[in-house]
Amino acid sequence: QVRLVESGGGSVQAGGSLRLSCEASGPPGTTMFAGWFRQGSGTEREGVAGIDNDGSTNYADSVKGRFTISRDNVNDVLYLQMDNLQPEDTAMYYCVVDRFPVEVENGVSAWATWGQGTQVTVSS
């Protein structure tokens, strides 16, 4: 069973940057597909960005051009670089992984394993 541990959240002012990390530990092949979701106060959990094991990426329209997802396949770490953060980016951010093909746009129930979340707060 794979375990995910996120870090890097915090509080920044609008226009600032944060880099989230997600360290995975578990059997080989369980993190072939990975991504980030977020959930703000009173909102549904939404997909932010996804990445395949070959490096192919996809993003929600709301973060395109500002967020960059990447991965270190050697050390099994997933990253989310967030630039030009805005108050509407305030949310709990969760990393997700799966051994089978899945994208963040497939929704919450499509993903097998979730991290515990890391809070990002952006003030205006």
Side-chain angles (χ1 to χ4, degrees), residues 2-103:
V2 64
R3 179 171 175 259
L4 304 175
V5 178
E6 298 111 327
S7 61
S11 297
V12 296
Q13 291 189 327
S17 298
L18 284 173
R19 188 193 196 202
L20 305 183
S21 300
C22 175
E23 295 187 29
S25 57
T30 53
T31 60
M32 294 291 288
F33 301 87
W36 292 92
F37 279 74
R38 68 185 180 185
Q39 186 168 20
S41 177
T43 65
E44 293 186 356
R45 199 168 293 189
E46 63 173 354
V48 174
I51 186 167
D52 294 349
N53 201 49
D54 64 1
S56 299
T57 59
N58 56 87
Y59 298 91
D61 288 342
S62 59
V63 306
K64 281 180 181 176
R66 300 188 299 122
F67 290 12
T68 303
I69 189 171
S70 62
R71 63 189 300 164
D72 177 351
N73 287 334
V74 173
N75 297 300
D76 229 353
V77 182
L78 179 70
Y79 300 101
L80 185 67
Q81 176 66 40
M82 305 184 295
D83 297 317
N84 191 22
L85 283 160
Q86 300 300 314
E88 53 265 34
D89 296 316
T90 295
M92 184 73 79
Y93 283 72
Y94 301 89
C95 71
V96 291
V97 298
D98 205 298
R99 67 168 64 240
F100 300 110
V102 59
E103 295 183 355

Side-chain angles (χ1 to χ4, degrees), residues 100-123:
F100 300 110
V102 59
E103 295 183 355
V104 291
E105 66 182 18
N106 295 140
V108 171
S109 61
W111 290 85
T113 304
W114 292 74
Q116 83 287 353
T118 185
Q119 178 67 36
V120 171
T121 302
V122 185
S123 58

